[in-house]
Amino acid sequence: MSYRLLSVDKEEPGLKERNYLGLSDCSSVDSSTIPNVEKSNLNFKATELRLGLPESQSPERETDFGLLSPRTLDEKLLFPLLPCKDNASATTGHKNVVSGNKRGFADTWDEFSGVKGSVRPGGINMMLSPKVKDVPKSIQDERSHAKGGGLNNAPAAKAQVVGWPPIRSYRKNTMASSTSKNTDEVDGKPGLGALFVKVSMDGAPYLRKVDLRTYTSYQQLSSALEKMFSCFTLGQYGLHGAQGRERMSEIKLKDLLHGSEFVLTYEDKDGDWMLVGDVPWEIFTETCQKLKIMKGSDSIGLAPGAVEKSKNKERV
Amino acid sequence: MNYFPDEVIEHVFDFVTSHKDRNAISLVCKSWYKIERYSRQKVFIGNCYAINPERLLRRFPCLKSLTLKGKPHFADFNLVPHEWGGFVLPWIEALARSRVGLEELRLKRMVVTDESLELLSRSFVNFKSLVLVSCEGFTTDGLASIAANCRHLRDLDLQENEIDDHRGQWLSCFPDTCTTLVTLNFACLEGETNLVALERLVARSPNLKSLKLNRAVPLDALARLMVCAPQIVDLGVGSYENDPDSESYMKLKAAVKKCTSLRSLSGFLEAAPHCLSAFHPICHNLTSLNLSYAAEIHGSHLIKLIQHCKKLQRLWILDSIGDKGLEVVASTCKELQELRVFPSDLLGGGNTAVTEEGLVAISAGCPKLHSILYFCQQMTNAALVTVAKNCPNFIRFRLCILEPNKPDHVTSQPLDEGFGAIVKACKSLRRLSLSGLLTDQVFLYIGMYANQLEMLSIAFAGDTDKGMLYVLNGCKKMKKLEIRDSPFGDTALLADVSKYETMRSLWMSSCEVTLSGCKKLAQKAPWLNVEIINENDNNRMEENGHEGRQKVDKLYLYRTVVGTRMDAPPFVWIL
């Protein structure tokens, strides 16, 4: 479940659908070092839209919730979260996105409004949900100019409201990583964000799921998988009776995999098992149905020299 | 009573356990106040900023158990910024300094750090019970200190917390001598679990009654654990998915049959639905079933399971059960007291499978129903009137129609009459959450009839200040009022300032209250903390009159005896 501004009128020039975070609101499982509340906060705050026109006496009591002020829309679209375009749609760690956004957003704010000292270190939350009502006119004008004014008449999209429906973020995160809705669909509907695929590993007792949309390269995927599955390999090395706070993550899967014991493979739409890494990332995400971390010996049949290839890769 | 020696009175007081009753006792006379305060062992503090630890300890020096709540309820829905407050460390530090014999700490919506947990674990020799609900700020390292240092630990209950999982060996930090565990709930941990350490811990805990596993505990481990702990009463299954090889599954079935004390089942975070039948033999004993995280369990497997659960008192489920499924519940679970139906499709795709029909069916079939939380796509006044007739015993009634402002889908009328029927019929109603299209009329009904109402949640409702005024004037027992996106403003806020002294707190966000209104309130009521959570540019919240008419984004006010708190972040402005 991701909080994007949906169904923006495609005919308007200059309008682009923005993924405010480049993240989908999901996978507390995958990036276990990130406090989930923080992510959820980002998602909600980023797409918060108010009911009612700006500077009106009372919020509109519309039964059709979809009607929102065009100004509101304008406000939102002018403050994309990702500070620089070369980050494409996602970054490696959610934490990076947060801190990156903090700086980027602050820069943007200063650039637009010239208001000094307006950035609070208190967190992204405050900055990302300016209420249209409260923004002085001058700033709004500046923003309109900056965006070429093309957005002012955009029809408001039906957007998510912060904190609604009233469900604990813990529950949302857990459900997001449990739901298997997207795994079997050929194309996740564009804009829905999550693309979960199951990941299994030979010898591991259970499956995991990863959201492919949270990665933009094989490198990122493999580091994430590394973190996720490192414990299984470690188990073989006798962690029994370990006392104290020895951290499993200190011994990296990488070191063991340099011995090419494991290779990463995936099942494509045709049901064939292929080695990961042979096709461009974008195509991979579209065709990958399942991932499997196989023992090197099992993967020999996949492609000639497959095992040799994986030896040379920095990561499987 | 005054002719009895103090010891006798104290002994009588020992039988009075509810904190409400004990508070009442302490108001009778000075000598009862004194006796009561020295004998009080359990203290409940609904708002950690209403009082400070020093005063708490002065009044209750023999404190053994403390319950603290931090952030306001709407923090659950991301309406309260992260750094708002609710830190437990100062409390633990003060308790540690005072050398009180703390044995139990229960926290809800508080910020807990590893440092606090470490201090807690080292400061109280007899510490037995730690319950953390919806807390955040700590990691498994903190859990490791608790495990390692609390020699008599009985309960470690982590419910829906955001815990940074460092995948350390916290489970192996329980010393071999630790055999006292009764409750172990780590379902919310996202990382890997040392299964060997877990099995050994469970095997040496003969008193273990409640075990809730996280996602990382697979089916075959579950089978082994259940063999070690056949006395288990409350089980949270972790991962219930595997390519189930028959040996694991057979072992599980055999183990389940032996767990004759099992009364409560939850979890199934990853589940292979066809494996559910392993639990059928014990279903007839179950009083509590929580499948609200089990997205993969629905349809016929779910129904089959429920049909075995004739003694169910509490059911938490996803709306994928559908109206038909709820009808099965209604005809099977005649003992049902509490039902929660959560939305499974959070994308709002409109695929929710429960409607007003499911609710009516439940109300008709389950006469003992007193608590309900129901997320649905649509509702009608007629249905609510019927529900009120069928179930006049509601204590908690929370209805969430997913689309804000949605009217009765048949008549297109507001849902005032429906909710009105509920408050009129349910004379013991203590908690109510509203949704759908609502005018001031519903608040008139609430003010008139909801005499016992203590907590009211309002969203996207009402027309004018009158709505809020009806509630403030009418609901004498109101404790917590939380309002969002409703057109209530300064007039309602300021009408009766003394009312807030009788309440724990008031939350208003995206309403019509202005800065000057809040300032006036703060002036009139110095015993209130009036907090403005300002997520815009602070510079614009200026002193001059023009700015005073500016609407306040989020207002949170609460009574307190210790004045302004010192730990508020810069974006929280305390007037």
Side-chain angles (χ1 to χ4, degrees):
Chain A
M1 155 202 53
S2 90
Y3 287 77
R4 299 175 179 233
L5 201 56
L6 302 172
S7 53
V8 172
D9 187 347
K10 296 236 156 62
E11 278 136 43
E12 284 277 355
L15 270 185
K16 265 193 282 178
E17 185 185 89
R18 298 256 177 201
N19 178 347
Y20 285 2
L21 297 172
L23 307 172
S24 46
D25 188 336
C26 67
S27 62
S28 50
V29 174
D30 300 325
S31 42
S32 54
T33 54
I34 316 303
N36 294 324
V37 173
E38 203 174 343
K39 280 190 290 194
S40 306
N41 263 336
L42 288 175
N43 285 332
F44 276 112
K45 286 299 167 197
T47 55
E48 181 188 23
L49 282 168
R50 295 291 315 287
L51 287 177
L53 297 167
E55 288 138 28
S56 57
Q57 284 307 107
S58 57
E60 302 228 283
R61 301 278 108 210
E62 301 282 355
T63 46
D64 174 5
F65 183 61
L67 281 180
L68 288 166
S69 125
R71 218 69 152 313
T72 314
L73 192 64
D74 181 67
E75 181 77 41
K76 283 294 135 193
L77 290 175
L78 283 166
F79 284 86
L81 287 190
L82 295 175
C84 41
K85 297 298 173 210
D86 42 281
N87 260 351
S89 55
T91 54
T92 39
H94 297 178
K95 218 170 209 158
N96 293 336
V97 175
V98 172
S99 46
N101 279 345
K102 269 186 188 158
R103 288 191 293 276
F105 196 86
D107 293 340
T108 317
W109 182 272
D110 284 338
E111 188 190 323
F112 275 135
S113 66
V115 176
K116 295 283 176 253
S118 59
V119 178
R120 295 282 163 185
I124 233 179
N125 304 323
M126 323 160 337
M127 300 305 275
L128 298 178
S129 57
K131 293 287 184 296
V132 177
K133 288 182 195 180
D134 296 325
V135 175
K137 270 212 146 63
S138 57
I139 294 179
Q140 284 188 313
D141 290 340
E142 277 184 311
R143 291 174 190 160
S144 312
H145 285 135
K147 262 297 170 177
L151 303 170
N152 287 334
N153 299 321
K158 187 158 187 166
Q160 306 283 349
V161 183
V162 176
W164 192 267
I167 298 171
R168 279 191 187 160
S169 38
Y170 172 83
R171 177 173 287 280
K172 280 185 166 136
N173 292 338
T174 310
M175 291 303 293
S177 46
S178 291
T179 191
S180 52
K181 263 187 204 148
N182 290 316
T183 52
D184 296 320
E185 273 170 346
V186 168
D187 293 308
K189 288 174 229 147
L192 280 185
L195 185 57
F196 284 105
V197 293
K198 291 190 181 177
V199 189
S200 60
M201 176 165 161
D202 280 345
Y206 59 91
L207 306 172
R208 299 301 299 269
K209 283 196 185 108
V210 290
D211 176 6
L212 290 183
R213 290 207 206 280
T214 58
Y215 313 111
T216 53
S217 71
Y218 287 117
Q219 173 64 35
Q220 290 171 13
L221 173 63
S222 71
S223 349
L225 290 179
E226 197 179 305
K227 279 195 198 123
M228 221 183 280
F229 285 96
S230 57
C231 64
F232 298 136
T233 343
L234 286 172
Q236 298 165 19
Y237 286 76
L239 218 38
H240 302 292
Q243 300 293 326
R245 300 162 196 198
E246 216 171 296
R247 293 197 181 188
M248 298 210 237
S249 53
E250 284 167 17
I251 307 171
K252 295 223 187 296
L253 185 60
K254 200 188 284 194
D255 304 326
L256 301 159
L257 287 169
H258 274 315
S260 267
E261 258 193 62
F262 295 93
V263 294
L264 184 61
T265 62
Y266 72 101
E267 188 184 35
D268 72 0
K269 285 185 196 173
D270 304 324
D272 300 323
W273 285 93
M274 321 275 279
L275 267 186
V276 165
D278 286 339
V279 298
W281 173 259
E282 289 73 20
I283 298 179
F284 168 73
T285 53
E286 279 167 33
T287 58
C288 173
Q289 299 298 297
K290 278 191 202 158
L291 284 165
K292 191 161 183 180
I293 303 175
M294 283 185 182
K295 287 215 169 65
S297 44
D298 293 340
S299 69
I300 286 175
L302 288 179
V307 177
E308 289 302 310
K309 247 196 224 173
S310 64
K311 263 199 181 108
N312 296 331
K313 281 189 182 149
E314 191 210 357
R315 262 282 352 107
V316 171
Chain B
M1 278 288 266
N2 283 336
Y3 300 110
F4 292 149
D6 287 357
E7 296 78 23
V8 174
I9 300 182
E10 192 181 313
H11 185 64
V12 172
F13 287 178
D14 282 347
F15 293 97
V16 180
T17 47
S18 107
H19 67 268
K20 275 188 190 159
D21 290 339
R22 290 205 72 124
N23 289 345
I25 286 178
S26 65
L27 293 174
V28 168
C29 63
K30 278 202 184 129
S31 83
W32 280 30
Y33 178 88
K34 187 168 149 230
I35 298 169
E36 197 282 320
R37 65 179 266 252
Y38 281 109
S39 61
R40 176 100 68 133
Q41 295 191 335
K42 288 191 176 172
V43 178
F44 169 85
I45 294 179
N47 174 4
C48 65
Y49 290 119
I51 188 147
N52 63 27
E54 288 74 27
R55 284 185 62 156
L56 169 72
L57 290 165
R58 244 181 292 154
R59 179 165 172 197
F60 299 118
C62 303
L63 181 60
K64 286 213 170 80
S65 160
L66 178 62
T67 303
L68 278 174
K69 291 190 179 179
K71 299 185 192 181
H73 175 232
F74 276 177
D76 280 349
F77 318 130
N78 295 317
L79 288 175
V80 176
H82 235 326
E83 302 79 7
W84 174 84
F87 308 106
V88 80
L89 185 60
W91 287 85
I92 298 180
E93 283 171 338
L95 290 164
R97 273 195 301 269
S98 74
R99 313 213 188 182
V100 75
L102 191 70
E103 291 182 13
E104 177 179 67
L105 187 62
R106 309 170 73 97
L107 305 176
K108 188 167 185 180
R109 281 191 286 272
M110 293 201 72
V111 177
V112 180
T113 57
D114 287 345
E115 188 193 348
S116 327
L117 291 175
E118 164 99 26
L119 182 61
L120 178 67
S121 72
R122 290 195 189 283
S123 310
F124 308 104
V125 165
N126 280 324
F127 192 75
K128 293 193 172 71
S129 173
L130 181 63
V131 180
L132 302 177
V133 180
S134 288
C135 295
E136 43 154 355
F138 60 107
T139 77
T140 44
D141 294 346
L143 298 179
S145 352
I146 297 287
N149 302 327
C150 300
R151 304 250 174 89
H152 305 289
L153 195 67
R154 221 180 35 202
D155 307 309
L156 181 59
D157 190 356
L158 310 168
Q159 298 176 29
E160 302 193 341
N161 301 290
E162 309 280 358
I163 306 175
D164 218 359
D165 196 326
H166 287 168
R167 282 186 258 143
Q169 291 295 317
W170 71 278
L171 272 171
S172 3
C173 293
F174 282 100
D176 288 339
T177 46
C178 174
T179 57
T180 46
L181 274 182
V182 173
T183 303
L184 179 62
N185 173 4
F186 59 96
C188 59
L189 283 180
E190 286 294 341
E192 320 308 341
T193 295
N194 183 333
L195 296 175
V196 173
L198 175 62
E199 283 172 44
R200 279 165 52 197
L201 179 61
V202 170
R204 66 176 185 272
S205 305
N207 296 323
L208 193 68
K209 293 281 186 299
S210 172
L211 178 63
K212 291 185 174 157
L213 308 168
N214 75 343
R215 204 185 281 270
V217 180
L219 198 143
D220 54 336
L222 175 66
R224 289 195 297 272
L225 288 166
M226 291 178 82
V227 167
C228 292
Q231 76 283 3
I232 204 94
V233 172
D234 178 14
L235 177 67
V237 170
S239 180
Y240 200 63
E241 184 177 86
N242 211 353
D243 296 327
D245 69 73
S246 25
E247 206 194 320
S248 273
Y249 186 60
M250 287 304 145
K251 282 199 186 137
L252 179 70
K253 276 175 98 163
V256 169
K257 277 209 189 98
K258 296 227 176 84
C259 295
T260 52
S261 304
L262 194 54
R263 296 287 174 273
S264 167
L265 199 54
S266 60
F268 296 95
L269 303 168
E270 311 266 354
H274 57 274
C275 292
L276 275 183
S277 47
F279 284 96
H280 287 178
I282 48 90
C283 280
H284 62 277
N285 285 330
L286 286 183
T287 56
S288 168
L289 181 60
N290 179 355
L291 295 175
S292 63
Y293 288 103
E296 286 151 328
I297 300 181
H298 47 78
S300 57
H301 293 116
L302 174 60
I303 300 299
K304 270 197 210 119
L305 184 74
I306 288 183
Q307 278 169 329
H308 284 93
C309 300
K310 296 202 181 353
K311 287 212 198 126
L312 217 53
Q313 293 172 14
R314 191 166 88 139
L315 176 62
W316 290 24
I317 198 85
L318 289 171
D319 64 4
S320 47
I321 192 176
D323 286 335
K324 290 285 173 237
L326 287 176
E327 280 164 33
V328 173
V329 172
S331 57
T332 312
C333 309
K334 295 300 180 189
E335 302 295 314
L336 196 67
Q337 296 176 21
E338 178 185 330
L339 175 67
R340 295 196 191 189
V341 180
F342 292 95
S344 52
D345 178 9
L346 292 170
L347 287 162
N351 293 331
T352 30
V354 298
T355 68
E356 72 274 16
E357 291 179 16
L359 183 60
V360 170
I362 291 283
S363 71
C366 306
K368 299 193 183 175
L369 192 66
H370 60 60
S371 293
I372 189 155
L373 169 62
Y374 198 79
F375 284 84
C376 60
Q377 197 73 10
Q378 62 189 39
M379 189 49 57
T380 63
N381 283 309
L384 286 173
V385 169
T386 310
V387 168
K389 232 185 288 176
N390 291 339
C391 284
N393 299 321
F394 275 119
I395 299 175
R396 293 170 207 98
F397 189 88
R398 292 151 75 191
L399 180 65
C400 180
I401 302 164
L402 289 166
E403 193 186 314
N405 288 319
K406 188 156 184 186
D408 178 324
H409 75 93
V410 168
T411 66
S412 300
Q413 293 297 302
L415 289 169
D416 301 333
E417 297 306 311
F419 279 105
I422 296 279
V423 293
K424 200 165 170 194
C426 303
K427 310 225 187 297
S428 329
L429 194 68
R430 289 207 305 255
R431 182 169 180 181
L432 178 64
S433 297
L434 305 170
S435 58
L437 181 65
L438 296 164
T439 70
D440 286 345
Q441 185 68 18
V442 73
F443 298 111
L444 176 61
Y445 289 141
I446 292 173
M448 278 170 68
Y449 296 113
N451 301 318
Q452 302 299 316
L453 196 64
E454 294 178 4
M455 182 168 176
L456 179 61
S457 307
I458 302 170
F460 308 104
D463 304 313
T464 71
D465 280 355
K466 279 207 210 123
M468 186 169 161
L469 283 168
Y470 290 143
V471 171
L472 290 175
N473 292 334
C475 300
K476 299 295 176 204
K477 301 234 173 134
M478 184 61 65
K479 290 232 155 39
K480 288 193 284 187
L481 183 56
E482 45 186 29
I483 307 172
R484 62 166 294 180
D485 294 277
S486 301
F488 306 135
D490 296 339
T491 312
L493 182 70
L494 294 166
D496 180 8
V497 168
S498 59
K499 173 77 177 171
Y500 304 126
E501 197 174 5
T502 65
M503 288 168 54
R504 186 187 299 171
S505 64
L506 168 68
W507 169 279
M508 291 180 77
S509 60
S510 308
C511 296
E512 299 292 314
V513 290
T514 68
L515 181 58
S516 58
C518 294
K519 282 189 183 173
K520 258 191 223 134
L521 177 61
Q523 259 174 339
K524 285 189 182 181
W527 34 265
L528 275 186
N529 271 357
V530 179
E531 296 193 4
I532 314 284
I533 297 170
N534 177 29
E535 294 180 297
N536 295 308
D537 182 357
N538 262 343
N539 291 353
R540 286 183 275 112
M541 283 291 209
E542 302 268 293
E543 290 290 338
N544 85 59
H546 179 63
E547 297 294 348
R549 268 197 284 288
Q550 190 185 346
K551 297 228 180 80
V552 155
D553 191 21
K554 291 173 185 174
L555 164 68
Y556 181 54
L557 61 87
Y558 52 90
R559 65 183 175 192
T560 177
V561 293
V562 291
T564 308
R565 61 182 175 115
M566 291 302 148
D567 60 0
F571 56 84
V572 173
W573 213 25
I574 306 184
L575 300 177

